[in-house]
Amino acid sequence: LDGDGKNTVTVTYRFPHDRAQLPVTPFVIGNTSGIFRYEYMGLLACFFLEAFLAITGIVLILLSLSVYRLEKGRRMLLQLGLFFLAVGVWNIGENDFSVFVIRNPVLLYMMAFTGLFFVIAPLYGFALNAVPFRWRRLLTAVFYASAALPALALLLQLAGPVMMMQSLFFFHVFHPA
């Protein structure tokens, strides 16, 4: 019962996380503080881990700016920092607890897809700097394409003709592994 004597039911639906089976997730019924406590207990640790990844990425990016003499090491730190930042932003956008912290579903949608789309490019960049490849030009072209395509998807989302969910198909085609 609410304070004014009326019954209130809040329904929270959590998306299934496994594609091999489609379980019916149980409804969580209660007032806002009860649902918050339930979500808080289950997802807070994951949220802090994701925030830690994003902060670690920012720290690595800042560290890469301070390394002057080792150009290769600087690029590797930068790519590793960009990777951590992208993974952290992606997972914060996907975490159900984030709805309680960031009360902007559009921002969470953009964080989830932008982080997902930008995860691959830093890995290619790190590999380019860490491993001597025989066909370096091919991997360099894939690196630049994997950095440009997410920017294009973001631009198309902001301009309006294509939603990021629709461009996810092209992301999977371009990165089959």
Side-chain angles (χ1 to χ4, degrees):
L1 293 171
D2 276 352
D4 58 356
K6 295 183 180 178
N7 291 335
T8 302
V9 174
T10 303
V11 176
T12 301
Y13 179 76
R14 298 177 67 198
F15 294 101
H17 296 284
D18 187 9
R19 26 176 204 176
Q21 40 181 290
L22 186 61
V24 177
T25 55
F27 284 110
V28 177
I29 299 174
N31 59 13
T32 305
S33 64
I35 293 174
F36 182 78
R37 277 193 305 274
Y38 175 78
E39 293 291 328
Y40 175 82
M41 296 304 284
L43 299 170
L44 185 64
C46 292
F47 180 80
F48 279 128
L49 176 65
E50 294 150 2
F52 176 74
L53 280 173
I55 292 168
T56 302
I58 292 169
V59 168
L60 286 174
I61 291 168
L62 293 175
L63 278 175
S64 75
L65 297 175
S66 68
V67 176
Y68 293 112
R69 295 187 178 189
L70 302 171
E71 185 63 31
K72 189 175 185 178
R74 184 179 74 80
R75 287 189 306 238
M76 289 173 64
L77 270 177
L78 176 66
Q79 298 299 333
L80 197 59
L82 289 172
F83 174 73
F84 279 151
L85 180 62
V87 169
V89 167
W90 170 30
N91 285 314
I92 287 172
E94 291 283 338
N95 192 331
D96 291 336
F97 184 78
S98 298
V99 174
F100 294 113
V101 178
I102 303 169
R103 296 185 177 264
N104 188 346
V106 175
L107 178 63
L108 290 173
Y109 170 84
M110 295 297 284
M111 286 173 66
F113 280 103
T114 304
L116 172 64
F117 287 170
F118 277 104
V119 161
I120 300 297
L123 288 179
Y124 284 132
F126 186 82
L128 274 169
N129 290 302
V131 180
F133 285 101
R134 187 177 206 180
W135 296 288
R136 192 167 179 81
R137 288 184 184 174
L138 176 64
L139 188 59
T140 302
V142 171
F143 166 69
Y144 284 121
S146 66
L149 290 177
L152 178 64
L154 184 61
L155 181 66
L156 289 173
Q157 165 73 32
L158 294 175
V162 179
M163 290 176 36
M164 291 187 107
M165 182 65 157
Q166 294 169 326
S167 58
L168 184 63
F169 171 76
F170 296 106
F171 177 79
H172 286 301
V173 169
F174 185 72
H175 302 292

